[in-house]
Structure formats: structure tokens, C-alpha cells
Amino acid sequence: MKLKLVISALTFGFCSMLAHSQSSHDCSRLKSHHHADMRSDRLSDHYIDLTENYNVHFYKLDLNIERTSTYVEGAVQMHVEVLSPILDTLLFELWDDLWIDDILLNGTTAVPFTRDESAVIVPVDYEEGDHFFIEVIYEGSPPSGGGPLGNGGMNNDSSPSWGNQATWSLSEPFAAYEWFPCKQSLTDKIDSVYTFVTTNESNMAGSNGLLTAVVDVAPDKKRYEWKTYYPIDYYLISIAVAEYVEYTIYAEPDGAAEPIMVQNFIYDNPACLPYFESDINETVDFIELYSDLFGLYPFANEKYGHCMAPLSGGMEHQTMTTQGYFTPGLTAHELGHQWFGDNVTCASWSDIWLNEGFASYSEELMLAVHYPGEEVSSMGGRHFNIMSENGGSVWVEDSLNVGRIFSGRLTYDKGAAIVHTLRFLIDNDDQFFDVLQTYQSTYGGGTAQAADFKEIAETISGKDFTAFFNEWYYGEGFPTYHVEYTLVGGELIVLLEQEVSMEGVTPFFTNDLEIRVLDDAGDYTTLRLTDIDGTASYHSFPFDGEVENVVIDSKNWIINEDGGAEENNNLVNIVESNVSIEVYPNPTTDHLIIKNGFENGAYVIYDAIGRNVLNGELSSSNKINVAALSPGQYVLKINGGQTSFTKQ
């Protein structure tokens, strides 16, 4: 999903009496974090547990919908497999005010049911491994508003630009039940879905998968029959109805057995398609690009496409995005979701980064290829927005808070920025894109958590990203970097210092950092600062010539404020390599004696969270007085070597 504007915090929560409710209830919900990871806040924990007793394998939606209202009527089949030893209660969700006429078991037998707010409770009698289906015949008007784009589960509006009226669904994150009976669980992907929409003959209806038939069902009605056979999450099932014209083009990415259809339903306004045609055509280029970078378009046997609807952004409905307009960034973002969000879906809304962070970074990858140079300023703009506030984690602590899930600053911009940082830390683009492709091939058709992605990145790169995730994904804030430098005997000595915006959460950042050094001949040299393990670190590089200027992180690899660079000829070189330090006594109560005959060396002592707590020059006795330090574990650095010691 791509939002046109940064979303302020929105709240979900409605309270109403149900037509079939046994008794009235207030709006309170039990919101344990475990259940919040996979579910809306409309069910109690007990009811959520009941939905875990079965898997959904197939939906058939057979609905009557017009472009003039959100009114829905028709039938939905839900085919399930029993997971529990005994299933005596089938529970699913449906919006309170949608009237249920009947529920049929296996297509023939009408069964009793009760309703408790959004919960619909059907008594059944099945055992583990059994398969059966229910058919829910219902009708009514879904609620309006409340979603992350200001919409509800089913919406109706007219385009302010083109005048066309449309009805469309938008179920992310918790609103599918507002327009069809369903189980809202991220980790229970549906194997296949049929979506049949009957509407006025002047309309067209778009949905997931392939349009297998358009059937005349009355003198002025047509039924559009869509079928998809790829696994799909509940919130990616979609319908859009309007007066459309079809505009179809084809992509030919490497590895595709046949050209991939890009099927676009565009407003039936004579000025609309010509206005957007060149932007729509870029979809072909983007599919071919992403197929090279991420692996072949994951739904190549069906299609990709767009349905226009009057919303301020887009929603990545699987194989047919609902989109309000066309720009390269928006189109690239929603297409990127077909890999990151649709093919592999976050297993928890807390890990929405796996959807939105990577789709947002897909925009940057598109710019680098098709609008080269713009990706640097684009990432700089993301950094500016991220640092407009000091704190905030990419990981979503409150996975029921819709406004937080879709935070433009944290989920989208910081999410994309730290993917860029990870690419820098891997420091090998072949490996980086291998990580993305392996993630797709490993979890395609299913769901994943951030820890799953981390494991793949570590396996392929051979690097440990624990610190990266602790600091940038779960942590908060950003550093302000300051550099001091001097030249000593053909060596460039660099002191990197950092102040952080959320010291109480993330006391320092250990990621590598690039600086560009301009010499007196006008040439730039890019240097990589590594082994950063505190708020101050020394680095040494061979360097010819004089230093004219030093630029910090010119490619915007790291979210940071630039604290500037300055020459300091008083710096002492303490970065000699391969120096081992021996100290005794260890543990100590009052002083350390340094072995190996260091003379006049500068030393720095860091505490357990990386703060410089003591520094100075060694005396002729090679003794350091540490009596003033509090008891604990410390790191001693001297002449480039380091060791740890314990102060008792």
C-alpha cells in the first residue's frame, strides 16, 4: 500500500448491537500481543482461538455490486480443513450490520447460527483432517471510513479529477470482514479464490487472477468471473466496479514461458487513458526489472494489472492493484508488493517492514535504473522525514494500531532506508540480490517474519546482523556523525564521533560508514570506517597528498545528521594493527598494569554500553588508575589493540 500523505494515528473500533446477538456487549476487546500479530481487534482471545482450529482452502465470492453504492448482496462459500481433534464450532467474522439470510452446510443443509458482534458461530461436528464447506447468503451496507487511506472495507466515491464513480474494496489490515464472511489470519493463506461479480452491463468488474468469463445473466446485467489459483492472504482479495475501458499490454521478462499480461481497467473517460498511458506503459519496464532483481514475477501464469478507483494512493491487491492515479513511484511501489507483501506476506503486522519497507525500497531501485541520480535525492528526502522526529522503531510494537502500522515516517521511509543500509553492510550486490531472491523462493506463497529474512541474509553474506537489527529495526533514533582528521607520516588518522537521538534506547550505532576524502589534486577517495563499537572510534588509512575536504556518507547509506568534518592536528594515532594487550590484575580493584612495554600510548576505557568513561596517556609505569570506576565489565583500547577487564 502506498499512501499519498503521511497518515496520522487512526483508531479502529465500532460498537453496535447485532441482529442475531444473544446479548449486548460493550466495545472492549482482549488484545493480547500474540493474537494481535495475526488478527483484528474485533474478536476476543477465546474466539480467535476457535478460528485456529481450521484452515481455509478456498473461497467463492458470488456477489452483486454496483458502481453507485457499497451495498453488497450474494453468497460466499468457505471451504475448510479441520485442524483440531474435534471441531464442534466454526467461527468466522462478518460485519455486524450485514444481514445473514442463511448459512448452508456443504451446499444443501441450512444450519443454525448465532452472532456476537462480528463473530458468527456455527455448530458443526467434524474431526481432524475432515473437509467441508459453508455457504453464507447475506446482504447489506458495509461501514464507511476508518481505514488507512480513509476508506472502509467497501467504498464508493467519484473521482475528483475524472468524474467517474466507482465501488471498490480495501481490506488491509482488518477490514475484509466488513464486506465478506472470512477468517482474518495472515498465516492462513487461501489456496485459491473465485470472485464472481454481477453488475450493470455498463460497468466492468476487476479482481484477482484471470477473467475466465463474462456472462449475460439478465437483459442489463453481466457477471464477471475471476479465478486465481495462487495462495492469497485475506486482505489481498479485491473487487473494483466502475465504467472502465480495458487497456492491455505485455511484459517479457527473462525466464517467463510466455509474455505476462498487464491488464488495466481505466476510467471510461476519453481523456483519462491518454493522460496516463505512458505512465502505465512503464509497468512493463518495471516488471522486467524486478524479475531480474527479485526473481520472476510470482504470478506469471495469471497477470498483473490495475483497477482505477478514487483513492489517494494505491493498494497492492494480488495480481490487480487498485490505484488512484499513475506515477512511476506509485506504480513501482505497488508492483514491488507483488513480491514483498503478496508472494511473501508478513506473518505479523509487527513485521509490516517486510511488506512496506521493501516495496518502498523497490521505488529506489527503479529510480536507479530508469531515472538515474534521482535515487540519491529520494533517499535523502526519506532521511529528512525520518529525522523530523527523534525516535520510533521500524518494528511495530502495537500491531492493532492502524496509524502506527502504516506510519509513513517509520514503516515506509525508515523501512526503505534500513534496507538500503543492509545492502551497504552486505557490501556485495550479487549477495544482496541473492538474499532477496532466496527470500522469495524460500517463503513464496506463504508468510515470513523479520527473523526469517535475517537468517537468509546472514547465511548468504556470512555476516552477523544481530547488531543491525537491534539498532535499526528494533532500536530507535539515529546518529549525528562528526569527523576529525589529521595526516601523520602518510597515514590519515580519523576520529569518528557520534551523538544519538535516543540514547536511552540505542546508545550508539555500530554500522560501517563511508567518508569521501578530497585531496589537493582534486580527486576523491572513498574510505570505509569499520569496527565501530562506541560513541568514538579511531581509524587509520594510507593516504597520499593533502586533505582538502571530508564528506560523510555522500550516498545516503545511513540515516544520519552530518555533524561536519574538521582537521585536528592534535589527534594521536592509536590505530596500529595487530597489537595485543595484556593487563593485570584482572579483575582489579584500583589499578591496571599494562604489559608489552607500551610507552606514552593513549588509552580509552569504555563501559558496557560503549561510553568513553576514562582516557589519558600511559605513564612510564604503564599503570592506569581505575579506582573511580564503578564495578562492572569494561573494554580497554590502546594503540589499536583492545581487551576487556572487570572492575570489582
Side-chain angles (χ1 to χ4, degrees):
M1 181 184 293
K2 181 67 179 291
L3 291 74
K4 186 174 182 180
L5 300 175
V6 176
I7 299 295
S8 60
L10 303 174
T11 57
F12 261 45
F14 303 87
C15 190
S16 62
M17 297 289 289
L18 304 180
H20 292 271
S21 178
Q22 300 299 300
S23 61
S24 63
H25 295 266
D26 64 25
C27 278
S28 63
R29 296 288 189 272
L30 297 175
K31 300 181 181 179
S32 78
H33 187 73
H34 170 73
H35 293 310
D37 280 348
M38 298 185 291
R39 205 77 70 235
S40 76
D41 58 344
R42 313 203 192 278
L43 297 180
S44 70
D45 284 2
H46 170 66
Y47 284 161
I48 290 171
D49 288 339
L50 291 179
T51 67
E52 299 300 324
N53 291 331
Y54 66 90
N55 274 345
V56 180
H57 288 288
F58 172 74
Y59 284 122
K60 180 183 178 183
L61 285 68
D62 191 355
L63 304 177
N64 299 297
I65 298 176
E66 299 296 338
R67 73 176 187 275
T68 53
S69 77
T70 61
Y71 196 84
V72 176
E73 67 172 328
V76 170
Q77 289 183 15
M78 179 190 297
H79 293 236
V80 307
E81 177 187 5
V82 179
L83 300 180
S84 59
I86 298 294
L87 184 70
D88 57 12
T89 300
L90 179 73
L91 186 142
F92 59 88
E93 290 187 77
L94 185 65
W95 174 248
D96 310 6
D97 291 340
L98 296 178
W99 179 267
I100 296 177
D101 292 317
D102 268 311
I103 296 180
L104 304 180
L105 182 63
N106 295 322
T108 57
T109 305
V111 293
F113 62 92
T114 56
R115 303 186 72 172
D116 184 359
E117 297 188 337
S118 68
V120 182
I121 303 156
V122 181
V124 294
D125 184 14
Y126 289 100
E127 297 179 355
E128 185 174 1
D130 286 347
H131 292 256
F132 67 95
F133 73 92
I134 60 166
E135 183 171 13
V136 182
I137 303 167
Y138 71 106
E139 61 183 300
S141 295
S144 61
L149 290 174
N151 311 107
M154 186 65 73
N155 311 276
N156 182 269
D157 204 353
S158 295
S159 167
S161 300
W162 306 104
N164 294 72
Q165 190 172 7
T167 299
W168 74 98
S169 64
L170 203 163
S171 301
E172 189 179 27
F174 309 128
Y177 87 114
E178 293 181 359
W179 64 280
F180 75 98
C182 60
K183 172 186 173 182
Q184 297 196 126
S185 170
L186 286 171
T187 55
D188 186 3
K189 280 195 167 183
I190 305 99
D191 297 335
S192 56
V193 176
Y194 291 180
T195 307
F196 291 5
V197 180
T198 299
T199 190
N200 188 279
E201 64 180 355
S202 64
N203 299 329
M204 298 173 67
S207 188
N208 315 99
L210 290 173
L211 181 58
T212 58
V214 180
V215 180
D216 293 323
V217 294
D220 60 348
K221 300 284 185 181
K222 291 182 180 293
R223 183 173 66 238
Y224 286 77
E225 299 183 356
W226 293 88
K227 298 179 180 180
T228 182
Y229 295 96
Y230 286 101
I232 184 171
D233 233 312
Y234 70 90
Y235 73 92
L236 297 168
I237 299 169
S238 71
I239 288 173
V241 176
E243 290 183 324
Y244 290 124
V245 294
E246 182 177 343
Y247 175 62
T248 296
I249 51 182
Y250 291 86
E252 299 186 43
D254 291 341
E258 297 179 354
I260 296 172
M261 178 171 58
V262 183
Q263 186 176 25
N264 304 283
F265 282 13
I266 309 302
Y267 292 142
D268 187 10
N269 179 315
C272 188
L273 179 57
Y275 185 84
F276 287 121
E277 186 172 359
S278 62
D279 289 314
I280 296 170
N281 289 344
E282 284 193 302
T283 310
V284 168
D285 300 328
F286 301 165
I287 289 175
E288 293 170 355
L289 171 65
Y290 292 163
S291 292
D292 287 340
L293 298 180
F294 310 148
L296 181 64
Y297 173 68
F299 311 110
N301 292 335
E302 294 183 353
K303 72 166 190 313
Y304 185 59
H306 304 94
C307 280
M308 292 193 73
L311 70 163
S312 297
M315 174 61 212
E316 65 273 14
H317 294 130
Q318 190 162 303
T319 73
M320 201 163 205
T321 286
T322 305
Q323 206 155 300
Y325 53 90
F326 296 89
T327 63
L330 179 61
T331 299
H333 180 101
E334 304 304 339
L335 175 62
H337 268 307
Q338 300 303 305
W339 285 263
F340 297 96
D342 293 12
N343 187 41
V344 184
T345 307
C346 61
S348 159
W349 293 112
S350 289
D351 285 327
I352 186 66
W353 173 65
L354 295 170
N355 294 19
E356 298 297 351
F358 286 82
S360 296
Y361 193 60
S362 298
E363 299 175 54
E364 305 299 319
L365 296 172
M366 177 275 295
L367 291 174
V369 173
H370 291 285
Y371 298 86
E374 291 189 19
E375 75 279 7
V376 177
S377 59
S378 175
M379 186 57 69
R382 293 186 191 274
H383 287 186
F384 182 82
N385 184 38
I386 295 161
M387 294 185 294
S388 65
E389 298 180 30
N390 283 336
S393 169
V394 175
W395 182 74
V396 179
E397 182 175 2
D398 181 1
S399 59
L400 294 180
N401 184 332
V402 178
R404 173 57 194 88
I405 293 172
F406 298 107
S407 165
R409 185 176 73 89
L410 298 174
T411 298
Y412 291 75
D413 285 345
K414 191 173 182 182
I418 70 169
V419 177
H420 194 51
T421 301
L422 183 64
R423 180 181 179 183
F424 171 67
L425 296 180
I426 290 175
D427 198 24
N428 181 316
D429 267 0
D430 288 341
Q431 289 185 354
F432 174 73
F433 289 109
D434 189 11
V435 168
L436 301 189
Q437 292 171 21
T438 302
Y439 175 70
Q440 291 294 317
S441 62
T442 302
Y443 294 102
T447 62
Q449 296 179 319
D452 300 318
F453 183 86
K454 175 178 179 287
E455 182 179 10
I456 290 174
E458 291 179 333
T459 299
I460 290 175
S461 69
K463 298 183 177 181
D464 183 354
F465 292 118
T466 300
F468 167 79
F469 275 86
N470 286 343
E471 293 159 15
W472 287 110
Y473 183 67
Y474 298 107
E476 297 188 37
F478 53 88
T480 297
Y481 290 123
H482 174 70
V483 165
E484 295 181 8
Y485 61 89
T486 189
L487 283 170
V488 179
E491 292 286 312
L492 176 64
I493 311 303
V494 175
L495 169 62
L496 175 67
E497 298 176 303
Q498 59 175 286
E499 294 183 4
V500 296
S501 65
M502 295 294 291
E503 182 178 9
V505 181
T506 307
F508 58 89
F509 293 86
T510 60
N511 51 269
D512 296 355
L513 182 70
E514 275 188 355
I515 59 173
R516 294 183 72 204
V517 182
L518 176 66
D519 65 20
D520 53 352
D523 296 325
Y524 274 106
T525 301
T526 300
L527 302 175
R528 191 181 186 101
L529 310 186
T530 62
D531 299 321
I532 299 168
D533 57 4
T535 57
S537 58
Y538 283 87
H539 309 267
S540 177
F541 307 93
F543 194 83
D544 294 328
E546 298 295 323
V547 177
E548 297 295 325
N549 189 27
V550 174
V551 179
I552 300 171
D553 190 33
S554 61
K555 294 182 180 179
N556 289 329
W557 290 114
I558 313 298
I559 305 163
N560 73 93
E561 289 277 11
D562 186 347
E566 60 181 330
E567 187 173 12
N568 179 359
N569 292 324
N570 294 320
L571 288 180
V572 176
N573 181 4
I574 63 165
V575 199
E576 298 173 7
S577 60
N578 300 318
V579 178
S580 64
I581 300 176
E582 295 182 35
V583 300
Y584 64 90
N586 187 9
T588 185
T589 57
D590 54 6
H591 67 272
L592 293 171
I593 297 175
I594 313 303
K595 194 174 178 181
N596 281 359
F598 294 108
E599 295 181 1
N600 300 320
Y603 67 84
V604 182
I605 294 176
Y606 299 94
D607 66 9
I609 62 172
R611 293 177 299 186
N612 181 336
V613 294
L614 188 65
N615 58 78
E617 296 282 337
L618 282 178
S619 66
S620 59
S621 64
N622 277 4
K623 183 182 292 187
I624 302 175
N625 187 342
V626 295
L629 298 180
S630 300
Q633 185 80 16
Y634 294 87
V635 172
L636 168 67
K637 283 193 171 184
I638 181 170
N639 284 7
Q642 72 177 51
T643 189
S644 63
F645 71 92
T646 301
K647 168 65 167 59
Q648 289 184 328

